[in-house]
């Protein structure tokens, strides 16, 4: 997210940069969802993304076939 306008017009200064804040944010989200269906925890996100979000089955099939996005790939450890 670009905060340059808030910096320029309001003097906003973020406490952390994006990269520094990401691990804590991800850990909090994982804790929030742990043991629950993500669509239950984030119903508005689920409504917007529908059933296509996190379609890992399709990704797994592409990796197994050695192709993703039209490119030949090599799975880790291969």
């Amino acid at each position: 997210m670009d905060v340059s306008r808030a910096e320029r017009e309001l003097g906003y200064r973020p406490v952390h940069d994006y990269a520094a804040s990401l691990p804590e944010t991800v850990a909090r989200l994982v804790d929030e969802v742990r043991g629950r269906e993500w669509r239950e925890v984030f119903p508005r996100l689920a409504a917007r993304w529908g059933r296509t979000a996190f379609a890992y089955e399709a990704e797994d099939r592409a990796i197994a076939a050695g192709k993703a996005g039209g490119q030949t790939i090599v799975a880790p450890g291969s």
Side-chain angles (χ1 to χ4, degrees):
M1 182 162 64
D2 182 4
V3 295
S4 59
R5 185 173 178 191
E7 290 173 339
R8 188 175 57 254
E9 294 181 14
L10 303 173
Y12 170 78
R13 297 293 179 260
V15 175
H16 300 286
D17 67 7
Y18 178 77
S21 68
L22 198 55
E24 183 179 331
T25 301
V26 170
R28 182 185 60 80
L29 292 171
V30 167
D31 285 344
E32 188 71 27
V33 176
R34 190 177 319 280
R36 299 165 62 190
E37 168 65 31
W38 75 268
R39 289 172 184 87
E40 169 194 331
V41 179
F42 302 108
R44 291 190 329 186
L45 182 64
R48 183 175 203 160
W49 282 11
R51 306 278 318 155
T52 61
F54 308 112
Y56 295 123
E57 297 83 10
E59 182 180 311
D60 290 344
R61 285 191 302 274
I63 291 171
K67 297 188 179 288
Q71 299 180 358
T72 300
I73 60 169
V74 177
S78 297

